[in-house]
Amino acid sequence: MELNRRDFLKGALATGALAATGTALAACSPAGGASGGSDAKATGAEGSSSASGSVLTADNYQDMKWSFEIPPEPVADADIAETYTHDIVIVGAGMAGLCTAVSAAEQGADVIVFSASSKPISRGGSNHAIGSKYQKEKGIDYSPEAAREIVKAEQTAGTYLMDKKKWERWINHSGESIDWTIDHMEKQGLKCCLEPGYTDPDGTITVPPASHNFYTDEQPFGALFGAPLEAHAYANIFTDDFGGEIHYKTVGQYLIRDNDNTGRVSAVVAQREDGSYVKYVANKAVVLATGDFSKNPDMMAKYSPWAWENFKDSLTFGDVDYDAELVYSGLMPGDGQKMGLWVGAAWQKTYPVPPMINGGASGPAHGVISNFWGLNMDIHGERYQNECTNFAYGAISVLQLPQKTAYAVWDKAYAYTQDEWEAFGCCIDYENGIMPSTPEEMIASWDAAATEGKSSIGTGATYYKADTLEELVEQMEGIDKEQALATIKQYSAYAEAGLDEQFHVNPDILYPISTPPFYATKITGATFLTVCGGLRTNDKMQVCEEDDTPIEGLYNTGIMTGDFYANTYNFVMPGQNLGAVCGTLSYLLGRDLAEL
């Protein structure tokens, strides 16, 4: 397709492409499938049905059964139409499953892949890596030693609940892994781009350029659409270079674990589009790479209740689209997670499972993943935080507000606080992707958004513009107008004095709101992308039982990997999901499986 980059900027970058960034790192794997689709209400254990009016207590809650915890009846041998036998069976043709397949196959392993999707599937495009050859070419020092501070900040944000051993494997092998990916992608005609980092004026969550994305001339927006390109490239490599088979539109039903669910996982039973059943026998390993469980209301309610309460009205249920890419209403139904639970796998230790969300107050972004650093207010017309943070933490703050609603206010002069405004998809040297926007182009984009009454890039924000602050506040629906005007004037006084006496924002980014015209936005809620986690997984990607004993023959990878994240996916290391669990750990898993 042909794109005029400057024209794109004029019509699209009112907020630094905040919403577009929100789609960059969503879930990486499609469902390989399991029976059940959308689950309904909790099903009571015998004598404890919720329908009978039983009350949950500390003594009986573990006796209750959710619908997703009840396995399906096994398929009779006579109803199995076909059986395939390979050393390694991978369930799911997303980034994680296909990366694992290529890594294993190139070491000579016998691998087959099947997937509920009709094609290779993934979403987003940013791959975080530490110490890649591309970074070194650009003069960026981001070795594991140089990454120590940001890694510590990330693990502290997760209150050290995550599995640091899996992190160690990612950190120490991510450079090797992304270099391997770059080489493979280049052979498939994909180019590599390195996105800008994030500079925190306080230094706390500063991270250098580390998100690698892949693009083509026809699809230059690698940060947003590069992951599907990668997935297709991996599929081509697996089938064309290594003679591998991928069976699409094949939905996994359940695992077979020998010795009455106490021995090795030896096979998967699946159902094809025509309704026939097929068995995949694994001589060495079954790998689950089936995506998240955000399309399953019961699993959301049990395992990610905070996200469920905040997003249940925007999630949709019913039929599952196994080809879903950039959607924000739920992705996959937890097929692999359910299959694992049915054969004795434990759930991850970290509770609840963290969501991946973003948003924050909507306004000109100093860095494409930042919250708006200028004045943020709630419906009472009052400030509610130190505004200098990123858009994931900003989103969490918005969700805690009355009516989950935030307002942002700035003036024309704000456009000139930067010589160039980064656009989502930029490369660090701006050779490719969308070019940076000038201050004048930023003003034009704000004017266009205000004329339309909303952002032209789909942030969900309502835009306002006026020549006086009084007129601006009068337009801002739902806010306490008198208090809002007082707050704006107080904020400007803090900026003029260079001292924020309320939330103590770094004085380097305090700017008075005094130069007309004036702009404002209103936004409600945040963008939901996925939930990150699932089955208990050790650092070798083995699925484990409650006592941490690995289940022989069973592995999982990708977004469903348990205990890699905690609290929330916060984008402090942008591209971590694709780069770590879907990239490096999948690459290492494939290599390890080939050595079995």
Side-chain angles (χ1 to χ4, degrees), residues 156-171:
T156 302
T159 53
Y160 274 59
L161 288 167
M162 71 282 287
D163 182 353
K164 275 74 69 179
K165 291 179 72 175
K166 287 199 281 287
W167 276 58
E168 171 268 325
R169 290 201 87 199
W170 166 56
I171 291 165

Side-chain angles (χ1 to χ4, degrees), residues 472-555:
L472 184 74
V473 169
E474 281 300 316
Q475 295 179 43
M476 295 166 65
E477 300 172 346
I479 200 168
D480 183 320
K481 302 183 189 308
E482 182 177 351
Q483 181 58 51
L485 190 59
T487 298
I488 295 170
K489 292 179 178 179
Q490 182 63 75
Y491 181 89
S492 291
Y494 290 152
E496 293 285 1
L499 177 63
D500 175 8
E501 297 180 13
Q502 187 175 10
F503 285 102
H504 311 285
V505 167
N506 190 307
D508 291 343
I509 59 168
L510 281 175
Y511 302 104
I513 305 170
S514 56
T515 304
F518 303 100
Y519 301 89
T521 61
K522 173 185 177 182
I523 194 165
T524 297
T527 299
F528 174 86
L529 297 160
T530 184
V531 281
C532 310
L535 301 179
R536 188 168 302 181
T537 311
N538 67 17
D539 61 312
K540 300 296 185 183
M541 311 307 284
Q542 295 172 290
V543 176
C544 298
E545 297 180 332
E546 194 65 42
D547 64 357
D548 297 335
T549 300
I551 297 175
E552 185 181 357
L554 185 60
Y555 300 78

Side-chain angles (χ1 to χ4, degrees), residues 38 41 57 64 145 172 219 234 246 255 308 321 436 438 443 458 482 507 567 582 586:
S38 174
K41 302 298 182 182
T57 70
M64 304 290 284
E145 289 75 21
N172 289 333
Q219 180 47 272
Y234 277 134
I246 304 174
L255 299 167
W308 169 246
D321 177 7
T438 66
I443 294 170
E482 182 177 351
N567 296 337
C582 300
S586 297

